Amino acid sequence: MDATALYKFQSGLYVVSAATADDYGACVINTGLQLTSTPLQVMVAVNKQNHTQGVIEKAGHFALCPITEEADMLYIGRFGFRTSTNFAKFDGIERRETILGDPFTPTASACVLACEVVQTLDVGTHMVFVGEVKDAENLSDAKPMTYAYYHGTLKGKTPPKASSYVAE
Ligand SMILES: Cc1cc2nc3c(=O)[nH]c(=O)nc-3n(C[C@H](O)[C@H](O)[C@H](O)COP(=O)(O)O)c2cc1C
């Protein structure tokens, strides 16, 4: 089997984030997807080893922002290659909160969705969270970044915790 066949699947890049009373997490994912419009539902798949996964599970809600092409590799590195367990991901960057209390940055974010978890599915390495959108706001007219742009223009790599990782 040639798992690189899956490279032909298109997706965008997102920051998913959540907070409880005493903890928060935020990470890059390429697994954001709109599921339905009535009710408005989206899904995210988050690796169980990512700090953000446990925070979403405890909080029962999350924020989801499509990353725009304004983001550089430092921005991707902040949210996608470092962990919230030992790095304050919103330090030095504008930080706001959704109506559900989850942190997000309007910097290089096309929009923000405030989502309440309505279903959780254990798919092995990752947890799938289905979120009902409780609030949505456009933040920028800049182009949302595609995974193809990330690989082709930013020359970015896919880390092992991403759903789309293929071992070399
Ligand atoms: C391009 C890219 C795509 C990624 N896609 C996913 C994904 O779909 N799901 C996931 O759980 N992690 C994904 N990751 C990995 C997490 O962003 C990364 O493990 C992060 O450091 C976790 O941070 P945390 O420990 O603070 O949650 C991706 C990272 C990058 C750079």
Side-chain angles (χ1 to χ4, degrees):
M1 183 171 75
D2 182 1
T4 65
L6 279 293
Y7 287 167
K8 310 252 164 74
F9 278 51
Q10 302 262 16
S11 67
L13 284 185
Y14 305 80
V15 174
V16 65
S17 51
T20 60
D22 57 0
D23 199 6
Y24 74 91
C27 72
V28 172
I29 57 165
N30 71 295
T31 48
L33 188 67
Q34 179 174 359
L35 290 173
T36 57
S37 55
T38 314
L40 203 47
Q41 293 183 115
V42 295
M43 62 147 272
V44 295
V46 188
N47 195 296
K48 290 175 184 172
Q49 290 177 14
N50 286 342
H51 185 70
T52 308
Q53 188 275 324
V55 182
I56 297 174
E57 203 162 85
K58 276 194 212 104
H61 44 74
F62 60 86
L64 186 61
C65 296
I67 298 172
T68 71
E69 290 183 1
E70 295 158 321
D72 57 13
M73 278 310 289
L74 273 177
Y75 183 99
I76 303 287
R78 167 191 289 264
F79 290 106
F81 286 96
R82 305 193 66 169
T83 176
S84 318
T85 51
N86 61 20
F87 176 67
K89 297 206 177 181
F90 292 99
D91 271 11
I93 195 167
E94 188 182 345
R95 178 191 186 281
R96 284 174 47 191
E97 270 183 20
T98 67
I99 56 164
L100 299 177
D102 297 312
F104 70 94
T105 180
T107 304
S109 294
C111 71
V112 59
L113 307 181
C115 307
E116 187 180 292
V117 175
V118 290
Q119 283 194 60
T120 302
L121 178 67
D122 187 331
V123 291
T125 53
H126 289 62
M127 292 295 280
V128 172
F129 297 106
V130 175
E132 187 169 326
V133 180
K134 297 295 178 184
D135 194 28
E137 181 187 348
N138 279 305
L139 299 167
S140 161
D141 290 329
K143 269 191 179 175
M145 188 182 289
T146 63
Y147 217 166
Y149 178 98
Y150 172 72
H151 286 303
T153 304
L154 287 188
K155 307 288 179 211
K157 299 262 183 284
T158 300
K161 287 179 198 158
S163 307
S164 54
Y165 176 71
V166 175
E168 299 283 319

